[in-house]
Amino acid sequence: MTREDKQSKPEFDTERVVLLSICHFIHDIYSSFLAPLLPFLIEKFALSLTQAGFLSTVMQIPALMNPYIGKLADRISVRYFIIMAPALTAVPMSLLGVAPSYGILLILLFLTGISVSLFHVPAPVLVYRVAGNRTGRAMSFYMTGGELARTLGPLTIISAISLLGFEGFYPVMIVGIIATIVMYFKFKEMPVTLKPKEKTSIRKTWREMRGLLLPLSAIVVVRGFMHACLTAFLPLYIMQQSGNVWLAGIALSIFEGAGVVGILTVGGLSDRFGRKRLLMFCLVVAPCALLLFTVTSGWFQLGILLVTGFSLLSTTPVMLAMIQEYSEDGSSAANGIFMMISFLARSAVVVLVGFVADMLGLEKTYVICGVIGLAGIPFVVRIGSSVKEEEPMEKTF
């Protein structure tokens, strides 16, 4: 993207950025229903824990198709995917309570997984198109919607079950359908087909983007070790260290809450100070804070956890902005490749962290994850030598 292209970009479209963020919030509330519904599903269908765990796996399988969904979105128009996704996710997730069999549950969750990919792969492209030259700020708004949804989704579905019963909560799908209708009227006229005269190729996209995708993928992997130990095992770690049940209960909420603030803040700051600088800052602070977390205790430890959550979880909007800007016109295929790599990395790393914790204990595992996190720093440096000189992430706005 040339300097002239950047200057010709439209102004930050506040209405559409906020609408996309709200739509992300509504969509992800539905996709977060599964975990709080598991106890009810296990009881209704007499499921084993293996069968219950397989439900989540089936929902995530479509993520393997993310590059192909991105390729299709680049050829058609990203708006159609995003407009339909809230309804396509809301309907199957709202029908889980009335599913007559385990097989139908699997079908509903697989359809949900497809819809989740249909939304998350092209949505950052549309955010990029309406962000003007404040891509980082727009990505922060967008990602904040998703983070808040994962926080409030379980409360939403439990409240619905309390009011309507497990087999009667299906009317909650109405909100998702309304979101789709509103999105249709707001985006139906927006020309967002990115390259209508060119056929996109996943292989070609990878060749063109690998200078950025390779280091970012490595960062996702090393960041994944820190993320896995903190999200999957934090309450258990606090319990082992302090024996304080209350402290263990609020620790994860503090971590996630700090992440929401970081996501909302860091993307916008990267517009001003540069993507690479902010990414470097986060990937230096996060592992150092995690290592400090392992040698502290009590309320001071929770303060360190705030810093860790803020710096660790805030890197996603910066990386999404980098991908869209590096692809010049914005690319769903590039975002799909990155999301598939992220999915595979997260899935593998969580298992590996659990294995190490079984072998060495959580305390040593946390230290190891913090040290591995420091390995992300050289990959940030590598981005500087692989990205084009005129790349906007190296500029301030």
Side-chain angles (χ1 to χ4, degrees):
M1 181 178 291
T2 64
R3 188 183 305 274
E4 290 74 13
D5 291 333
K6 288 188 291 180
Q7 292 175 344
S8 65
K9 287 191 71 176
E11 292 296 320
F12 185 86
D13 191 334
T14 302
E15 180 184 4
R16 281 175 167 159
V17 169
V18 171
L19 179 61
L20 282 166
S21 304
I22 293 173
C23 188
H24 192 195
F25 171 75
I26 293 172
H27 176 277
D28 280 19
I29 274 186
Y30 289 99
S31 62
S32 68
F33 281 0
L34 180 57
L37 286 177
L38 276 181
F40 300 95
L41 295 172
I42 291 172
E43 180 180 357
K44 179 178 179 178
F45 296 106
L47 303 180
S48 67
L49 292 180
T50 300
Q51 288 175 310
F54 188 61
L55 293 175
S56 179
T57 300
V58 167
M59 186 172 169
Q60 296 180 56
I61 285 175
L64 297 174
M65 300 186 295
N66 282 346
Y68 299 97
I69 291 173
K71 177 181 176 180
L72 183 60
D74 282 340
R75 289 186 177 183
I76 305 175
S77 175
V78 296
R79 69 173 179 270
Y80 299 123
F81 292 79
I82 299 165
I83 287 171
M84 293 303 299
L88 293 177
T89 298
V91 171
M93 291 304 292
S94 300
L95 294 176
L96 293 181
V98 296
S101 67
Y102 182 70
I104 298 299
L105 278 180
L106 295 178
I107 292 173
L108 290 173
L109 290 169
F110 185 75
L111 292 175
T112 298
I114 294 174
S115 179
V116 168
S117 291
L118 289 177
F119 181 83
H120 286 99
V121 172
V125 181
L126 190 51
V127 173
Y128 173 67
R129 299 289 293 218
V130 299
N133 55 5
R134 303 173 75 180
T135 305
R137 183 186 183 196
M139 291 298 178
S140 286
F141 279 31
Y142 166 76
M143 289 302 301
T144 298
E147 290 298 320
L148 288 175
R150 282 184 282 277
T151 302
L152 299 179
L155 297 177
T156 301
I157 188 58
I158 294 302
S159 299
I161 291 174
S162 298
L163 292 173
L164 304 172
F166 176 61
E167 296 187 351
F169 72 83
Y170 57 86
V172 300
M173 71 174 70
I174 293 173
V175 178
I177 294 171
I178 291 173
T180 284
I181 294 172
V182 172
M183 290 287 289
Y184 172 76
F185 285 106
K186 289 293 184 179
F187 289 97
K188 65 176 181 176
E189 303 297 336
M190 184 178 180
V192 289
T193 303
L194 300 181
K195 296 180 181 179
K197 296 182 180 180
E198 298 181 12
K199 289 187 177 181
T200 57
S201 162
I202 295 174
R203 182 177 298 178
K204 179 182 177 182
T205 300
W206 171 257
R207 285 200 304 265
E208 293 175 349
M209 298 284 296
R210 63 185 177 185
L212 179 64
L213 286 175
L214 279 173
L216 285 188
S217 298
I219 289 169
V220 166
V221 172
V222 298
R223 173 185 175 272
F225 281 90
M226 296 185 289
H227 189 271
C229 73
L230 286 165
T231 56
F233 303 108
L234 182 59
L236 180 59
Y237 177 85
I238 296 291
M239 277 292 297
Q240 290 182 355
Q241 296 297 310
S242 67
N244 190 325
V245 178
W246 188 81
L247 201 62
I250 68 169
L252 189 57
S253 295
I254 289 175
F255 174 75
E256 295 286 357
V260 170
V261 176
I263 287 171
L264 190 58
T265 305
V266 171
L269 290 175
S270 72
D271 288 331
R272 181 176 181 183
F273 298 106
R275 314 279 183 236
K276 181 183 170 184
R277 291 188 184 94
L278 266 295
L279 189 59
M280 176 67 80
F281 170 79
C282 291
L283 291 175
V284 170
V285 172
C288 291
L290 177 57
L291 291 171
L292 185 59
F293 174 79
T294 63
V295 296
T296 55
S297 61
W299 291 104
F300 183 70
Q301 189 177 44
L302 292 184
I304 298 299
L305 191 61
L306 282 171
V307 177
T308 309
F310 181 94
S311 54
L312 179 62
L313 300 180
S314 60
T315 56
T316 303
V318 179
M319 290 190 285
L320 289 176
M322 283 179 167
I323 290 170
Q324 295 308 310
E325 291 173 337
Y326 190 73
S327 61
E328 297 184 348
D329 293 318
S331 171
S332 295
N335 190 51
I337 293 171
F338 177 69
M339 289 187 64
M340 184 190 72
I341 293 171
S342 299
F343 163 75
L344 293 173
R346 286 196 306 269
S347 301
V349 166
V350 169
V351 175
L352 182 56
V353 170
F355 175 77
V356 173
D358 283 335
M359 298 294 293
L360 303 177
L362 274 178
E363 186 173 1
K364 291 182 179 178
T365 300
Y366 267 56
V367 174
I368 291 171
C369 289
V371 173
I372 291 175
L374 292 170
I377 297 172
F379 294 107
V380 182
V381 176
R382 174 62 183 162
I383 292 174
S385 61
S386 64
V387 175
K388 294 172 285 187
E389 290 183 1
E390 69 273 21
E391 183 59 33
M393 71 180 182
E394 297 288 352
K395 302 283 191 285
T396 57
F397 296 99

